[in-house]
């Protein structure tokens, strides 16, 4: 059963918000005023499913194959809605082979598509990934 919780309810229910940050060695050594160019070349990757480029394109990593069921449209649409991103900014790419990270939630540790279940399988996962990315962007903007 799919329930539609708000971001606020999700954060209240989990009791915490975990944010990850990565500072490449090149940035750590670059010094004040020298890090702007380094950020422009690396996409923002808040989780396993979303990358945001310096040109504001949002790439959604889709773990299900596109076999006529609209997974490369439906799943990125969920992320676009959570990020409040324009559809022209959205790109979809297939996930690499990594069953631990991109497993089919209905099958356990197996990466695959079947039974017209891709949207039902990943609906909540991608919606929350988009919401988490948006929260990180808002927090960064607020600072």
């Amino acid at each position: 059963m799919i329930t539609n919780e708000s971001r606020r309810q999700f954060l209240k229910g989990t009791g915490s918000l975990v944010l990850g940050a990565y500072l490449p060695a090149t940035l750590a050594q670059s010094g004040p005023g020298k890090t702007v160019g380094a950020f422009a070349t690396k996409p923002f990757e808040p989780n396993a499913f979303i990358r945001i480029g310096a040109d504001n394109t949002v790439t959604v990593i889709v773990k299900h194959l596109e076999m006529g069921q609209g997974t490369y449209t439906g799943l990125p649409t969920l992320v676009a809605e959570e990020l409040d991103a324009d559809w022209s900014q959205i790109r979809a790419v297939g996930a690499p082979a990594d069953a631990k990270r991109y497993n089919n939630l209905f099958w356990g540790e197996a990466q695959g598509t079947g039974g017209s279940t891709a949207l039902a399988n990943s609906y909540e996962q991608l919606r929350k990934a988009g919401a988490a990315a948006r929260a990180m962007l808002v927090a960064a903007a607020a600072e």
Side-chain angles (χ1 to χ4, degrees), residues 3-20:
T3 59
N4 292 320
E5 292 185 25
S6 69
R7 287 186 288 269
R8 183 179 307 277
Q9 284 302 103
F10 170 73
L11 293 175
K12 285 170 55 177
T14 61
S16 64
L17 174 63
V18 179
L19 298 177

Side-chain angles (χ1 to χ4, degrees), residues 22-39:
Y22 171 71
L23 183 62
T26 56
L27 292 180
Q29 298 169 0
S30 60
K34 298 180 184 176
T35 59
V36 174
F39 278 118

Side-chain angles (χ1 to χ4, degrees), residues 103-121:
N103 65 320
N104 186 306
L105 299 177
F106 295 159
W107 300 348
E109 196 174 307
Q111 191 171 351
T113 302
S116 297
T117 61
L119 283 168
N121 184 278

Side-chain angles (χ1 to χ4, degrees), residues 36-105:
V36 174
F39 278 118
T41 60
K42 299 243 183 221
F44 172 60
E45 298 182 42
N47 53 55
F49 298 100
I50 300 170
R51 287 191 306 246
I52 302 174
D55 61 351
N56 290 329
T57 58
V58 178
T59 303
V60 179
I61 293 85
V62 180
K63 67 181 184 175
H64 299 281
L65 297 175
E66 175 58 72
M67 298 188 304
Q69 298 141 330
T71 56
Y72 276 37
T73 303
L75 294 172
T77 298
L78 297 170
V79 173
E81 288 178 5
E82 290 295 335
L83 286 173
D84 197 24
D86 187 82
W87 183 247
S88 65
Q89 297 172 273
I90 305 297
R91 307 288 180 268
V93 298
D98 184 347
K100 288 187 185 295
R101 180 178 254 185
Y102 300 109
N103 65 320
N104 186 306
L105 299 177

